[in-house]
mmCIF file of all heavy atoms in Angstrom:
data_model
loop_
_atom_site.group_PDB
_atom_site.id
_atom_site.type_symbol
_atom_site.label_atom_id
_atom_site.label_comp_id
_atom_site.label_asym_id
_atom_site.label_seq_id
_atom_site.Cartn_x
_atom_site.Cartn_y
_atom_site.Cartn_z
ATOM 1 N N VAL C 3 -16.013 214.973 62.012
ATOM 2 C CA VAL C 3 -15.679 215.980 60.991
ATOM 3 C C VAL C 3 -16.747 217.057 60.982
ATOM 4 O O VAL C 3 -17.964 216.754 61.078
ATOM 5 C CB VAL C 3 -15.571 215.327 59.612
ATOM 6 C CG1 VAL C 3 -15.286 216.357 58.544
ATOM 7 C CG2 VAL C 3 -14.519 214.261 59.610
ATOM 8 N N THR C 4 -16.355 218.311 60.767
ATOM 9 C CA THR C 4 -17.275 219.420 60.531
ATOM 10 C C THR C 4 -16.932 220.011 59.181
ATOM 11 O O THR C 4 -15.767 220.329 58.933
ATOM 12 C CB THR C 4 -17.176 220.470 61.611
ATOM 13 O OG1 THR C 4 -17.445 219.855 62.906
ATOM 14 C CG2 THR C 4 -18.171 221.578 61.395
ATOM 15 N N CYS C 5 -17.932 220.108 58.329
ATOM 16 C CA CYS C 5 -17.688 220.689 56.970
ATOM 17 C C CYS C 5 -18.955 221.340 56.458
ATOM 18 O O CYS C 5 -20.025 221.194 57.013
ATOM 19 C CB CYS C 5 -17.236 219.601 55.991
ATOM 20 S SG CYS C 5 -18.434 218.337 55.712
ATOM 21 N N ASN C 6 -18.797 222.140 55.400
ATOM 22 C CA ASN C 6 -19.926 222.794 54.750
ATOM 23 C C ASN C 6 -20.733 221.748 53.979
ATOM 24 O O ASN C 6 -20.141 221.015 53.201
ATOM 25 C CB ASN C 6 -19.360 223.879 53.821
ATOM 26 C CG ASN C 6 -20.504 224.635 53.144
ATOM 27 O OD1 ASN C 6 -21.410 224.096 52.574
ATOM 28 N ND2 ASN C 6 -20.403 225.973 53.205
ATOM 29 N N GLN C 7 -22.016 221.646 54.222
ATOM 30 C CA GLN C 7 -22.816 220.659 53.583
ATOM 31 C C GLN C 7 -22.952 220.843 52.074
ATOM 32 O O GLN C 7 -23.154 219.894 51.362
ATOM 33 C CB GLN C 7 -24.183 220.553 54.256
ATOM 34 C CG GLN C 7 -24.086 219.948 55.635
ATOM 35 C CD GLN C 7 -25.422 219.699 56.261
ATOM 36 O OE1 GLN C 7 -26.423 220.211 55.854
ATOM 37 N NE2 GLN C 7 -25.420 218.858 57.301
ATOM 38 N N ALA C 8 -22.886 222.100 51.617
ATOM 39 C CA ALA C 8 -22.976 222.332 50.171
ATOM 40 C C ALA C 8 -21.776 221.674 49.464
ATOM 41 O O ALA C 8 -21.909 221.004 48.450
ATOM 42 C CB ALA C 8 -23.027 223.793 49.874
ATOM 43 N N ASP C 9 -20.572 221.798 50.106
ATOM 44 C CA ASP C 9 -19.358 221.180 49.549
ATOM 45 C C ASP C 9 -19.496 219.677 49.600
ATOM 46 O O ASP C 9 -19.120 218.950 48.670
ATOM 47 C CB ASP C 9 -18.121 221.597 50.312
ATOM 48 C CG ASP C 9 -17.822 223.079 50.135
ATOM 49 O OD1 ASP C 9 -18.323 223.707 49.185
ATOM 50 O OD2 ASP C 9 -17.086 223.616 50.982
ATOM 51 N N LEU C 10 -20.024 219.154 50.735
ATOM 52 C CA LEU C 10 -20.194 217.707 50.908
ATOM 53 C C LEU C 10 -21.198 217.166 49.880
ATOM 54 O O LEU C 10 -20.930 216.147 49.238
ATOM 55 C CB LEU C 10 -20.627 217.377 52.282
ATOM 56 C CG LEU C 10 -20.822 215.862 52.604
ATOM 57 C CD1 LEU C 10 -19.525 215.104 52.440
ATOM 58 C CD2 LEU C 10 -21.399 215.704 53.989
ATOM 59 N N ALA C 11 -22.282 217.860 49.676
ATOM 60 C CA ALA C 11 -23.309 217.395 48.726
ATOM 61 C C ALA C 11 -22.763 217.389 47.292
ATOM 62 O O ALA C 11 -23.006 216.445 46.566
ATOM 63 C CB ALA C 11 -24.550 218.314 48.824
ATOM 64 N N LYS C 12 -21.989 218.413 46.964
ATOM 65 C CA LYS C 12 -21.347 218.461 45.646
ATOM 66 C C LYS C 12 -20.359 217.318 45.440
ATOM 67 O O LYS C 12 -20.330 216.654 44.423
ATOM 68 C CB LYS C 12 -20.684 219.803 45.434
ATOM 69 C CG LYS C 12 -20.158 220.025 44.056
ATOM 70 C CD LYS C 12 -19.580 221.429 43.905
ATOM 71 C CE LYS C 12 -19.039 221.681 42.509
ATOM 72 N NZ LYS C 12 -18.464 223.027 42.367
ATOM 73 N N GLY C 13 -19.534 217.083 46.459
ATOM 74 C CA GLY C 13 -18.561 216.018 46.404
ATOM 75 C C GLY C 13 -19.179 214.647 46.315
ATOM 76 O O GLY C 13 -18.783 213.782 45.557
ATOM 77 N N LEU C 14 -20.215 214.395 47.166
ATOM 78 C CA LEU C 14 -20.910 213.094 47.104
ATOM 79 C C LEU C 14 -21.597 212.886 45.753
ATOM 80 O O LEU C 14 -21.626 211.750 45.255
ATOM 81 C CB LEU C 14 -21.936 213.004 48.236
ATOM 82 C CG LEU C 14 -21.374 212.894 49.642
ATOM 83 C CD1 LEU C 14 -22.480 212.953 50.681
ATOM 84 C CD2 LEU C 14 -20.573 211.564 49.789
ATOM 85 N N GLY C 15 -22.152 213.928 45.202
ATOM 86 C CA GLY C 15 -22.767 213.789 43.886
ATOM 87 C C GLY C 15 -21.759 213.430 42.813
ATOM 88 O O GLY C 15 -22.019 212.657 41.922
ATOM 89 N N LEU C 16 -20.563 214.010 42.961
ATOM 90 C CA LEU C 16 -19.500 213.738 41.984
ATOM 91 C C LEU C 16 -18.990 212.317 42.078
ATOM 92 O O LEU C 16 -18.956 211.579 41.118
ATOM 93 C CB LEU C 16 -18.351 214.738 42.205
ATOM 94 C CG LEU C 16 -17.141 214.617 41.312
ATOM 95 C CD1 LEU C 16 -17.543 214.972 39.881
ATOM 96 C CD2 LEU C 16 -16.027 215.546 41.753
ATOM 97 N N VAL C 17 -18.594 211.886 43.301
ATOM 98 C CA VAL C 17 -18.005 210.560 43.426
ATOM 99 C C VAL C 17 -19.081 209.456 43.340
ATOM 100 O O VAL C 17 -18.772 208.328 42.975
ATOM 101 C CB VAL C 17 -17.196 210.381 44.764
ATOM 102 C CG1 VAL C 17 -16.048 211.325 44.781
ATOM 103 C CG2 VAL C 17 -18.049 210.467 45.964
ATOM 104 N N GLY C 18 -20.322 209.774 43.623
ATOM 105 C CA GLY C 18 -21.394 208.823 43.515
ATOM 106 C C GLY C 18 -21.612 208.305 42.112
ATOM 107 O O GLY C 18 -22.176 207.202 41.906
ATOM 108 N N ARG C 19 -21.158 209.038 41.127
ATOM 109 C CA ARG C 19 -21.274 208.624 39.746
ATOM 110 C C ARG C 19 -20.409 207.406 39.419
ATOM 111 O O ARG C 19 -20.715 206.647 38.500
ATOM 112 C CB ARG C 19 -20.930 209.749 38.776
ATOM 113 C CG ARG C 19 -21.875 210.912 38.926
ATOM 114 C CD ARG C 19 -21.390 212.117 38.164
ATOM 115 N NE ARG C 19 -22.129 213.311 38.533
ATOM 116 C CZ ARG C 19 -22.892 213.973 37.723
ATOM 117 N NH1 ARG C 19 -23.071 213.580 36.473
ATOM 118 N NH2 ARG C 19 -23.573 215.030 38.130
ATOM 119 N N ALA C 20 -19.349 207.239 40.171
ATOM 120 C CA ALA C 20 -18.452 206.106 39.940
ATOM 121 C C ALA C 20 -18.952 204.848 40.615
ATOM 122 O O ALA C 20 -18.720 203.735 40.136
ATOM 123 C CB ALA C 20 -17.031 206.400 40.406
ATOM 124 N N ALA C 21 -19.655 204.997 41.748
ATOM 125 C CA ALA C 21 -20.174 203.844 42.470
ATOM 126 C C ALA C 21 -21.372 203.222 41.731
ATOM 127 O O ALA C 21 -22.307 203.944 41.414
ATOM 128 C CB ALA C 21 -20.553 204.210 43.867
ATOM 129 N N GLY C 22 -21.316 201.954 41.430
ATOM 130 C CA GLY C 22 -22.396 201.336 40.684
ATOM 131 C C GLY C 22 -23.562 200.906 41.557
ATOM 132 O O GLY C 22 -23.398 200.634 42.726
ATOM 133 N N GLN C 23 -24.740 200.895 40.966
ATOM 134 C CA GLN C 23 -25.934 200.445 41.658
ATOM 135 C C GLN C 23 -25.992 198.941 41.729
ATOM 136 O O GLN C 23 -26.384 198.350 42.733
ATOM 137 C CB GLN C 23 -27.170 200.969 40.976
ATOM 138 C CG GLN C 23 -27.312 202.481 41.135
ATOM 139 C CD GLN C 23 -28.625 202.942 40.470
ATOM 140 O OE1 GLN C 23 -29.335 202.189 39.811
ATOM 141 N NE2 GLN C 23 -28.946 204.195 40.681
ATOM 142 N N ARG C 24 -25.612 198.259 40.699
ATOM 143 C CA ARG C 24 -25.629 196.798 40.654
ATOM 144 C C ARG C 24 -24.180 196.261 40.523
ATOM 145 O O ARG C 24 -23.831 195.600 39.550
ATOM 146 C CB ARG C 24 -26.458 196.323 39.465
ATOM 147 C CG ARG C 24 -27.914 196.680 39.642
ATOM 148 C CD ARG C 24 -28.740 196.073 38.514
ATOM 149 N NE ARG C 24 -30.130 196.392 38.669
ATOM 150 C CZ ARG C 24 -30.709 197.446 38.105
ATOM 151 N NH1 ARG C 24 -30.022 198.246 37.325
ATOM 152 N NH2 ARG C 24 -32.004 197.677 38.297
ATOM 153 N N ALA C 25 -23.423 196.533 41.502
ATOM 154 C CA ALA C 25 -22.000 196.133 41.469
ATOM 155 C C ALA C 25 -21.846 194.662 41.784
ATOM 156 O O ALA C 25 -22.609 194.103 42.569
ATOM 157 C CB ALA C 25 -21.211 196.988 42.469
ATOM 158 N N SER C 26 -20.834 194.036 41.181
ATOM 159 C CA SER C 26 -20.566 192.633 41.430
ATOM 160 C C SER C 26 -20.038 192.417 42.854
ATOM 161 O O SER C 26 -20.231 191.359 43.460
ATOM 162 C CB SER C 26 -19.584 192.101 40.413
ATOM 163 O OG SER C 26 -18.390 192.832 40.448
ATOM 164 N N LEU C 27 -19.348 193.401 43.412
ATOM 165 C CA LEU C 27 -18.897 193.347 44.794
ATOM 166 C C LEU C 27 -19.613 194.439 45.599
ATOM 167 O O LEU C 27 -19.686 195.593 45.151
ATOM 168 C CB LEU C 27 -17.355 193.636 44.807
ATOM 169 C CG LEU C 27 -16.468 192.657 44.061
ATOM 170 C CD1 LEU C 27 -15.043 193.199 44.025
ATOM 171 C CD2 LEU C 27 -16.527 191.307 44.712
ATOM 172 N N PRO C 28 -20.196 194.084 46.718
ATOM 173 C CA PRO C 28 -20.983 195.025 47.490
ATOM 174 C C PRO C 28 -20.248 196.352 47.826
ATOM 175 O O PRO C 28 -20.844 197.386 47.786
ATOM 176 C CB PRO C 28 -21.332 194.266 48.751
ATOM 177 C CG PRO C 28 -21.296 192.839 48.344
ATOM 178 C CD PRO C 28 -20.197 192.745 47.314
#
Side-chain angles (χ1 to χ4, degrees):
V3 177
T4 302
C5 64
N6 183 309
Q7 288 187 343
D9 294 340
L10 180 62
K12 186 176 180 181
L14 289 174
L16 180 66
V17 300
R19 296 170 193 245
Q23 291 182 352
R24 293 185 180 95
S26 58
L27 299 171

